[in-house]
């Protein structure tokens, strides 16, 4: 297949022969037309951060994430080449802080920098005061795609439209929110410092007392082929219940 393909992830020697069998020859020169990620969610998130806006084809690493028969790497590659995979454009999020901008697909998080000290902060939604003072571990601003990750661990729920705002271990009774997708959430630090993070990005920003961070959708999208197949519930069951710890590979 005459396409410039980039391969990213771990255990790449396992998948390389499969790609070559189907004519997808990885090429590290120039700008790729397709990014194939081999691994898990983290590999996909990292690939979008490194090559934003370029279509991704995520494949599960069978050594660390067993797949159901319908979603093996060969099956997914075959469907892609036959034009039977759907392209999903995932809305991206951004955190605008005095120190710069972080972007993510799943979620943006602001937490206390010190594990032994709570973060104290004020919350504005679209410029209107929502909470005068919240004391807790921090807050999570989530996309629909990310609602099954950290947002769910805080709220025990997911959402299907908009953006989510969840408060982690707050001492006050503050409702978790599902907001319209165009909403902007501003966090003002009252006692800190805090740390701002996006997805699994190793880059983090420290924010000090009096500084503000604005969370919103960025207006950009991450194009992903076969996202439904990548997020298959049956495959997820196999990962969580049938793979014993000694079989997992780092």
């Amino acid at each position: 297949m005459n396409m410039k393909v980039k391969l990213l992830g771990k255990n790449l020697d396992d998948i390389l022969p499969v790609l070559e069998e189907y004519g997808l020859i990885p090429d590290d020169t120039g700008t790729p037309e397709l990014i194939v990620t081999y691994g898990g969610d983290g590999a996909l998130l990292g690939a979008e951060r490194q090559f934003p806006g370029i279509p991704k084809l995520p494949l599960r690493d069978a050594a660390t994430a067993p797949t159901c028969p319908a979603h093996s790497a060969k099956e997914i590659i075959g469907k892609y080449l036959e034009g039977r995979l759907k392209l999903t454009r995932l809305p991206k999020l951004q955190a605008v802080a005095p120190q710069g901008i972080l972007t993510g697909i799943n979620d943006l998080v602001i937490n206390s920098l010190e594990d032994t000290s709570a973060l104290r902060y004020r919350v504005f939604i679209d410029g209107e005061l929502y909470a005068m003072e919240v004391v807790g571990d921090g807050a999570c601003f989530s996309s629909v795609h990310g609602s099954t990750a950290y947002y769910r661990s805080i709220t025990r729920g997911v959402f299907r439209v908009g953006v989510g705002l969840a408060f982690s271990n707050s001492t006050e009774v503050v409702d978790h929110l599902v907001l319209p997708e165009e909403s902007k959430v501003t966090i003002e630090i009252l006692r800190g410092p805090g740390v701002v993070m996006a997805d699994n990005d190793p880059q983090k920003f420290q924010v000090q007392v009096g500084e503000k961070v604005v969370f919103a959708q960025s207006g950009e999208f991450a194009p992903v082929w076969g996202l439904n197949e990548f997020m298959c519930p049956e495959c997820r069951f196999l990962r969580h219940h049938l793979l014993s710890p000694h079989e997992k590979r780092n």
Side-chain angles (χ1 to χ4, degrees):
M1 186 176 185
N2 188 21
M3 175 183 291
K4 192 173 289 293
V5 176
K6 177 78 173 178
L7 177 61
L8 297 174
K10 295 182 178 180
N11 305 324
L12 299 184
D13 289 343
D14 294 348
I15 192 61
L16 190 56
V18 180
L19 291 174
E20 293 175 342
E21 177 184 342
Y22 283 86
L24 294 175
I25 311 299
D27 183 352
D28 290 333
T29 65
T31 302
E33 300 170 79
L34 177 71
I35 308 292
V36 176
T37 66
Y38 191 60
D41 296 23
L44 175 59
L45 296 175
E48 176 60 27
R49 191 163 56 249
Q50 187 177 355
F51 294 94
I54 296 176
K56 311 295 184 301
L57 177 63
L59 304 174
R60 295 284 181 187
D61 177 0
T64 58
T67 60
C68 70
H71 296 138
S72 68
K74 284 192 173 185
E75 289 290 332
I76 296 300
I77 295 170
K79 287 181 180 179
Y80 171 75
L81 294 176
E82 294 165 6
R84 294 193 291 126
L85 289 185
K86 177 183 176 182
L87 181 66
T88 300
R89 298 173 73 244
L90 294 174
K92 295 170 71 171
L93 308 175
Q94 68 176 17
V96 180
Q99 297 78 8
I101 298 175
L102 292 176
T103 61
I105 298 175
N106 272 2
D107 47 46
L108 309 169
V109 176
I110 183 166
N111 278 345
S112 173
L113 182 63
E114 302 295 338
D115 293 338
T116 56
S117 178
L119 187 69
R120 193 183 297 267
Y121 56 97
R122 186 171 291 146
V123 182
F124 300 86
I125 298 175
D126 295 327
E128 298 291 328
L129 181 65
Y130 173 72
M132 178 65 72
E133 184 175 272
V134 181
V135 179
D137 289 345
C140 169
F141 185 78
S142 171
S143 68
V144 169
H145 181 66
S147 70
T148 59
Y150 187 42
Y151 179 91
R152 184 177 185 177
S153 73
I154 297 174
T155 67
R156 304 304 178 195
V158 298
F159 57 91
R160 300 302 179 197
V161 294
V163 291
L165 179 62
F167 302 96
S168 178
N169 292 327
S170 61
T171 57
E172 297 78 10
V173 178
V174 186
D175 290 334
H176 308 303
L177 300 173
V178 178
L179 303 167
E181 62 181 16
E182 67 273 12
S183 298
K184 292 185 178 181
V185 173
T186 301
I187 303 290
E188 179 184 1
I189 304 301
L190 302 179
R191 187 182 71 194
V195 57
V196 183
M197 300 165 282
D199 290 347
N200 60 346
D201 193 341
Q203 183 181 25
K204 302 175 178 64
F205 293 150
Q206 288 189 29
V207 286
Q208 306 300 322
V209 172
E211 294 184 333
K212 296 179 180 180
V213 182
V214 180
F215 297 142
Q217 287 195 357
S218 69
E220 299 177 344
F221 296 86
V224 182
W225 288 104
L227 185 63
N228 289 341
E229 285 81 355
F230 188 65
M231 305 298 292
C232 167
E234 186 175 346
C235 294
R236 186 183 299 272
F237 176 86
L238 292 173
R239 291 197 299 277
H240 293 304
H241 298 279
L242 299 186
L243 188 63
S244 61
H246 73 272
E247 294 176 298
K248 295 182 179 179
R249 191 165 86 188
N250 295 325

